[in-house]
Amino acid sequence: MANLTVTITENVILNGSVRGSTNQLTITGIEQVMERIVSIPGDNDTTILLNKATVATNDGALDIQDTKYIRVTNLDSTNSVTLSLQVDGNESGTAANESCSILLEAGRTFIMGTPHDAIDVSDTSASILTSLKDLESLLVDSGGNTVKLELFVAGA
């Protein structure tokens, strides 16, 4: 088993003073990684990650309970994409029935830990939700532009 070390550094000089910090996280028990550059065609929604409890029956799926770290980086220097987090709100293990979309600007990164019991959405209230569900998949909409994303996933 290996350790994954993730380091995030912010550094800005504001009014002559250096501001920012460096934070480091070590994730233990890593036995597998998936790293790929994905070309997202314009005018097409593209699934870049699929999480399932049973990977043997789902081609290309990652084991939802083994995944410990997910990173998506927009490698485009100009164009944003919409990243849709597809949520299995029923926790049926079959398909997503809810979604949450975020803007991933050019050059920006989205990071999350485990997809298991890690997300929930509600359209009925703006209160905090504590009964979290599974992230079933990640979809990307690049509008009319072709963009490249980097996907890095690590797990046990």
Side-chain angles (χ1 to χ4, degrees), residues 7-155:
T7 305
I8 298 174
T9 301
E10 296 97 9
N11 186 357
V12 63
I13 298 174
L14 186 61
N15 295 327
S17 296
V18 176
R19 304 286 184 211
S21 64
T22 297
N23 291 286
Q24 189 172 71
L25 170 68
T26 300
I27 303 170
T28 61
I30 301 299
E31 295 182 356
Q32 54 186 325
V33 296
M34 178 181 70
E35 181 178 22
R36 59 188 271 221
I37 306 294
V38 184
S39 184
I40 309 296
D43 298 318
N44 287 289
D45 292 345
T46 304
T47 301
I48 61 168
L49 178 67
L50 181 64
N51 297 303
K52 294 292 181 181
T54 307
V55 296
T57 58
N58 297 279
D59 292 342
L62 299 178
D63 189 310
I64 194 164
Q65 294 189 22
D66 287 346
T67 300
K68 297 182 175 189
Y69 177 84
I70 300 169
R71 177 181 55 80
V72 179
T73 300
N74 183 350
L75 299 176
D76 199 275
S77 62
T78 307
N79 299 300
S80 297
V81 299
T82 301
L83 181 62
S84 179
L85 291 78
Q86 300 289 296
V87 180
D88 183 359
N90 294 329
E91 295 205 296
S92 64
T94 57
N97 62 336
E98 299 173 332
S99 70
C100 170
S101 295
I102 61 170
L103 181 69
L104 187 59
E105 296 174 276
R108 303 293 176 114
T109 296
F110 170 82
I111 298 174
M112 76 177 289
T114 180
H116 179 58
D117 292 339
I119 188 171
D120 201 3
V121 295
S122 173
D123 62 355
T124 59
S125 69
S127 61
I128 191 165
L129 302 171
T130 57
S131 179
L132 302 177
K133 311 293 187 231
D134 293 339
L135 175 71
E136 188 265 347
S137 60
L138 291 175
L139 297 179
V140 177
D141 182 334
S142 62
N145 305 299
T146 297
V147 300
K148 290 190 184 304
L149 301 179
E150 182 177 40
L151 176 66
F152 184 89
V153 182

